[in-house]
């Protein structure tokens, strides 16, 4: 099975979760994930096998975060529109997305992925410099990807009434 599909399925996002995730607090606080994972995995040097606790808590944060905040009163902002674009992108096998988004999204996902081995090796070797470079690399390209999701939403919102209704002024 495709790892991305498996991760999407494990999140089990329903309509309520998506509405709550469109809260800017949810979107911006997700950028804490990589630093939290870094600390959790690094903690093996301090607390040994008990580092499994902060590691599991970090992964729990991934699942809890989109459900933690209330649905926002207004979604006319960058963060909310990013989640709308993500929803559209995740549904790309059912409804095609404009061709001018496909290649840039793949490039951004690939560039994000380049930082992963640096990040993982840095954690394995307990090399703070590599962990920081990996964090920065991944977060910069992930933020750029998220920005592309806003663009995708803005291009697609008029194609379906459902998409347009996600935007609350």
């Amino acid at each position: 099975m495709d790892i991305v599909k498996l991760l999407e399925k494990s999140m089990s996002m329903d309509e309520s979760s998506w509405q709550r995730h469109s809260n800017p607090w949810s979107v911006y606080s997700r950028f804490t994930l990589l630093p939290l994972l870094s600390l959790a995995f690094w903690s093996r040097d301090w607390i040994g096998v008990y580092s499994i606790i902060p590691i599991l808590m970090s992964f729990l944060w991934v699942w809890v975060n989109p459900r933690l905040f209330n649905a926002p009163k207004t979604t006319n902002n960058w963060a909310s529109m990013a989640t709308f674009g993500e929803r559209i992108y995740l549904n790309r096998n059912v409804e095609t997305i404009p061709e001018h988004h496909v290649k840039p999204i793949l490039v951004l996902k690939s560039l994000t992925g380049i930082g992963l081995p640096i990040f993982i090796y840095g954690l394995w070797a307990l090399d703070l410099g590599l962990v920081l470079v990996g964090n920065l690399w991944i977060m910069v390209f992930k933020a750029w990807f998220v920005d592309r999701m806003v663009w995708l939403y803005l291009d697609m919102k008029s194609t379906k009434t459902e998409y347009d209704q996600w935007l609350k002024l």
Side-chain angles (χ1 to χ4, degrees), residues 89 92 97-108 148:
Y89 178 70
R92 69 192 175 281
I97 62 173
E99 192 60 36
H100 65 274
H101 288 290
V102 174
K103 193 173 194 175
I105 289 170
L106 290 174
V107 168
L108 289 170
R148 189 69 188 211

Side-chain angles (χ1 to χ4, degrees), residues 4-154:
V4 173
K5 290 288 181 198
L6 183 63
L7 291 171
E8 289 171 18
K9 193 172 187 152
S10 71
M11 287 299 293
S12 62
M13 297 281 285
D14 59 13
E15 185 62 33
S16 173
S17 300
W18 276 111
Q19 287 178 14
R20 295 164 78 88
H21 184 38
S22 70
N23 186 317
W25 283 100
S26 176
V27 174
Y28 295 125
S29 63
R30 280 183 80 79
F31 282 96
T32 64
L33 175 63
L34 222 47
L36 287 174
L37 276 172
S38 298
L39 285 172
F41 277 96
W42 199 286
S43 73
R44 79 181 195 280
D45 192 45
W46 310 317
I47 57 176
V49 73
Y50 295 104
S51 65
I52 194 71
I53 295 167
I55 291 168
L56 291 175
M57 288 175 61
S58 296
F59 284 115
L60 181 63
W61 174 240
V62 173
W63 190 87
V64 167
N65 176 277
R67 295 156 178 84
L68 184 63
F69 303 95
N70 292 326
K73 289 181 176 45
T74 178
T75 58
N76 190 19
N77 59 73
W78 182 86
S80 295
M81 287 189 271
T83 63
F84 303 154
E86 182 183 11
R87 287 181 77 173
I88 292 168
Y89 178 70
L90 292 173
N91 198 35
R92 69 192 175 281
N93 292 333
V94 176
E95 182 156 345
T96 58
I97 62 173
E99 192 60 36
H100 65 274
H101 288 290
V102 174
K103 193 173 194 175
I105 289 170
L106 290 174
V107 168
L108 289 170
K109 286 171 64 173
S110 298
L111 287 169
T112 302
I114 290 172
L116 200 55
I118 299 165
F119 174 70
I120 291 170
Y121 180 78
L123 286 175
W124 177 79
L126 295 175
D127 184 321
L128 182 60
L130 290 178
V131 171
L132 292 174
V133 167
N135 265 271
L136 182 62
W137 184 279
I138 292 167
M139 285 199 279
V140 164
F141 286 106
K142 180 64 176 176
W144 196 351
F145 172 83
V146 170
D147 189 60
R148 189 69 188 211
M149 294 296 102
V150 174
W151 186 2
L152 175 62
Y153 171 69
L154 292 173

